[in-house]
Amino acid sequence: MKWYALLVVLMVGLGLQAQEEKDIVVKRTLHLMGSTFEISVVAPTEEIGYINIDEAVSEIKRIEALISSWDENSETSKINRNAGIQPVKVSRELFLLIERSKKISEITDGAFDISYASMDNIWKYDGTMDKMPTASDVKASIEKIGHQKIILDPDEQTVFLQKEGMRIGFGAIGKGYAADMAKELLISKGVKGGIVNASGDLTTWGTRETGEKWMVGITNPVEKNKIYSWLPVVESSVATSGNYEKYIVFKGEKYSHIIDPRTGYPTKGVTSVSIFSKRAELCDALATAVFIMGRDSGIHLINQLDGVEVVLVDGDNKIHKSAGIVFDTNQYVEK
């Protein structure tokens, strides 16, 4: 999700005293999947820590080769090339990711939809757009979108896009999935704790080398240089979707770069959404969906999902939350 201007501020690198075992935190920042990844691991030595991080990077690159719609050799690209022509047999891993994506589309009433990649780019956020698109242009831009048009055959393990010109893309779920897979690999290698932060789609396990919990800070929407509340992220994940940086203004009205795939129009009324759950993949997808659904519908949905919570900032910079979130606002900490 390239649009993130993070509501979530990761508290890493504070209080890095060694335990009796002399564990340290080793961290690297890399450019992967077109975004910035920050991988932190708890390790007995710096050398071992960097070896662990290299293994995580290899896993993320493997995921990118699988789901990239820019790589002509990827399974995703093959699906897109055969839209409206024929089903494509894919690996079980990609099939299951698409299957899970379709289920998220169903529970969000299409607010999340990997076929959004079929949308014509009629909204420009590079400073070149000088007028609103027409209603007919907007309608035409979304004609090929619809998770119902993604046909899965579990017996043959094939994927078929019904309409010619359809495309799928994993921009709103792929980095979360990659973070989850890198985490699983590191846990299997015996890494005691760490964080994989994929441009704001982050997942944690274990504790810091001091034994303390990994924490994220919710930014005060009125005083953005202060933390509104710290929240623990224990064996869990968080992702944030926001419209801080990419938007356009017509006649004094602000239009977000986050487009509702059902209508073709930018989403209004929400500034940022942070989702907390066990898996970064789900956080990634639901952050986008709730942003599009809006405050009331989005929070209502999250309150019905076990193990999922949300913190939402509306267009008036007011903070809203799901039932399971408890804020500790006794301290306002400078970022």
Side-chain angles (χ1 to χ4, degrees):
M1 292 182 282
K2 296 180 181 178
W3 53 83
Y4 285 167
L6 292 183
L7 175 74
V8 175
V9 180
L10 186 58
M11 192 170 76
V12 180
L14 300 180
L16 299 183
Q17 299 87 3
Q19 290 180 312
E20 291 180 4
E21 296 84 357
K22 306 297 183 183
D23 284 338
I24 60 173
V25 170
V26 180
K27 179 171 67 174
R28 281 184 66 192
T29 301
L30 310 103
H31 189 74
L32 300 164
M33 300 179 73
S35 301
T36 300
F37 275 65
E38 186 176 270
I39 303 173
S40 303
V41 297
V42 176
T45 67
E46 188 174 83
E47 181 181 7
I48 292 174
Y50 283 127
I51 290 172
N52 294 148
I53 291 172
D54 286 342
E55 291 174 322
V57 169
S58 295
E59 177 68 355
I60 293 166
K61 289 180 176 179
R62 184 189 70 80
I63 298 297
E64 181 176 21
L66 179 72
I67 68 174
S68 173
S69 55
W70 303 106
D71 181 351
E72 293 183 358
N73 297 315
S74 74
E75 291 185 12
T76 301
S77 292
K78 188 175 181 181
I79 293 169
N80 291 340
R81 281 196 302 272
N82 284 277
I85 301 171
Q86 62 184 358
V88 174
K89 189 173 182 62
V90 298
S91 63
R92 179 168 175 77
E93 181 177 12
L94 183 61
F95 186 90
L96 292 176
L97 177 60
I98 295 172
E99 188 174 59
R100 293 194 300 273
S101 297
K102 280 176 63 67
K103 289 178 180 178
I104 296 171
S105 295
E106 291 169 5
I107 67 171
T108 61
D109 194 27
F112 170 84
D113 194 326
I114 59 172
S115 70
Y116 81 94
S118 310
M119 188 183 302
D120 295 333
N121 295 318
I122 60 173
W123 297 92
K124 307 291 184 183
Y125 296 89
D126 56 4
T128 62
M129 192 170 179
D130 56 7
K131 63 180 180 179
M132 290 279 289
T134 66
S136 59
D137 287 341
V138 172
K139 183 179 179 180
S141 76
I142 61 170
E143 284 182 349
K144 302 181 185 70
I145 295 175
H147 61 93
Q148 305 91 339
K149 303 182 184 75
I150 304 171
I151 309 302
L152 302 181
D153 184 333
D155 294 327
E156 297 296 325
Q157 205 167 287
T158 60
V159 182
F160 179 51
L161 307 183
Q162 281 187 320
K163 296 191 71 171
E164 187 176 350
M166 273 189 75
R167 292 172 55 84
I168 58 172
F170 297 95
I173 195 172
K175 287 191 291 296
Y177 176 61
D180 284 333
M181 295 301 289
K183 169 184 171 178
E184 289 182 16
L185 176 68
L186 291 175
I187 290 173
S188 74
K189 298 289 184 180
V191 178
K192 294 191 290 185
I195 291 178
V196 180
N197 182 359
S199 291
D201 304 333
L202 66 90
T203 189
T204 75
W205 73 101
T207 64
R208 291 160 55 186
E209 83 294 352
T210 59
E212 297 172 284
K213 298 174 182 177
W214 302 105
M215 303 284 286
V216 296
I218 303 301
T219 300
N220 181 343
V222 177
E223 299 180 80
K224 297 188 186 301
N225 65 327
K226 294 184 178 181
I227 297 300
Y228 177 80
S229 178
W230 290 106
L231 295 173
V233 184
V234 181
E235 306 292 335
S236 191
S237 306
V238 60
T240 297
S241 182
N243 69 351
Y244 303 94
E245 294 179 344
K246 292 181 68 176
Y247 58 87
I248 51 177
V249 178
F250 286 122
K251 297 182 179 179
E253 190 165 359
K254 187 175 178 179
Y255 293 86
S256 163
H257 75 289
I258 302 175
I259 309 295
D260 187 335
R262 302 165 298 183
T263 67
Y265 284 95
T267 305
K268 298 181 182 179
V270 177
T271 298
S272 71
V273 172
S274 292
I275 299 287
F276 298 78
S277 78
K278 287 295 183 184
R279 292 187 63 82
E281 171 191 312
L282 184 61
C283 291
D284 196 354
L286 287 179
T288 302
V290 170
F291 195 103
I292 289 169
M293 294 172 73
R295 183 192 67 192
D296 294 339
S297 295
I299 293 177
H300 177 70
L301 169 67
I302 297 303
N303 280 332
Q304 296 180 74
L305 301 178
D306 291 337
V308 183
E309 302 294 343
V310 63
V311 175
L312 181 150
V313 179
D314 67 21
D316 296 321
N317 284 331
K318 293 180 180 178
I319 295 179
H320 308 268
K321 62 185 181 63
S322 53
I325 293 284
V326 178
F327 284 139
D328 176 8
T329 57
N330 291 327
Q331 295 186 27
Y332 279 72
V333 182
E334 297 283 349
K335 288 202 294 183

